Amino acid sequence: MKKNCEAAVHSVGGAAVIELTGEVDGGAAGVLNEAYEQAVTSGEPGTVVLDFAQVGYINSTGIALIVSVLARARAERRKVVASGLSEHYREIFDITRLSDFIEVFGDLGAAVSQLAGPAA
Amino acid sequence: MTSVARSAPRRLAAFAVPSEPGNERLALARVAEAVAASGLAPARLERLKTAVAEATMNAIEHGNGGRPEIPVDVEVIQEGDDIIVAITDLGGEHEPAGPVEEPDLGLKLDGEQRARGWGLFLIRNMVDGMQVRTDGPRHTIQLTMRAGGVTPVPRDGDLEGGGHEEEL
């Protein structure tokens, strides 16, 4: 049974977190784009975290959507990181080289604590 | 001199799905069910599922033009250690999944390649072998995945693959 993509956006420190649930495929375009828009207009974050912990399926069209988000973020000089990917999708991030451009963390907590970083 | 017996091909499943977006999920679930007893390691099963989904999506979109009345045929065979999944549409000769151009993420991020075009690349990188053949309108992409390890031998009356198998 298909689970449509949904997104929840919130801020943690200087980062915007987009928690995705469901399936990241062609049907996720509107949700992902709107979530990114909401994320970057509420506080001008330097980093956008894409959390995939509740995502069960990503297909090639979903990969293309992630590429589009990354391209836009880079143009806006924002960093994109990912968390919660399964081993399989982490491998796909490696094969497609997305992991060369998107730092991947095991879970959202690890991503957030890394972003908070040590005090300067 | 020793000889190695090679077990006869066995059909684990054969089914069709209507050419409607989203039915690639149905195909991957049926294939996963069919190969459940084949000895495929979980990580390799995930790879096969991704390849099946991408190939089926391509058959639906590029082969059958998204017309639900035209089915995509899926056949799953085990031949020795090989799991073979054949996915057939009626679109004649066409590229298996979008452009032949190899996707390059750097070019895509620079806007010099379109963001899409990952389907064939993913299929090739997920499975051990991929063959494409066209016979008139029938266009088939055949995926091969080696199960690895020992192939389970069915006992008498013990059907593997959800009872869909038959010897070919």
Side-chain angles (χ1 to χ4, degrees), chain B residues 6-24:
Chain B
R6 186 173 175 82
S7 54
R10 290 179 300 126
R11 180 178 289 132
L12 303 180
F15 59 91
V17 296
S19 294
E20 291 177 291
N23 277 352
E24 69 274 10

Side-chain angles (χ1 to χ4, degrees), chain A residues 1-2 23 25 56-61 63-64 67-68 70-71 74 88-89 91-92 95-98 101, chain B residues 22 24-25 28 43 46-47 50 53-54 57 61 104-106 108-110 115-116 118-119 121-122 125-126:
Chain A
M1 176 129 181
K2 180 170 171 55
E23 300 177 358
D25 58 10
Y57 178 67
I58 305 172
N59 69 9
S60 59
T61 313
I63 294 292
V67 170
S68 297
L70 175 61
R74 279 164 55 91
H88 177 61
Y89 290 116
E91 181 184 24
I92 287 181
I95 288 169
T96 56
R97 290 185 54 230
L98 272 170
F101 296 87
Chain B
E24 69 274 10
R25 299 298 312 276
L28 80 82
E46 289 304 309
R47 285 169 148 250
T50 287
E54 293 298 327
M57 192 163 67
E61 292 178 3
D104 182 314
L105 184 54
K108 289 179 187 295
L109 292 174
D110 290 342
R116 292 193 64 168
W118 293 102
F121 176 84
L122 279 181
N125 281 279
M126 292 289 104

Side-chain angles (χ1 to χ4, degrees), chain B residues 8 61 83 100-101 110 121 132:
Chain B
E61 292 178 3
I83 303 292
V100 177
E101 183 179 56
D110 290 342
F121 176 84
V132 179

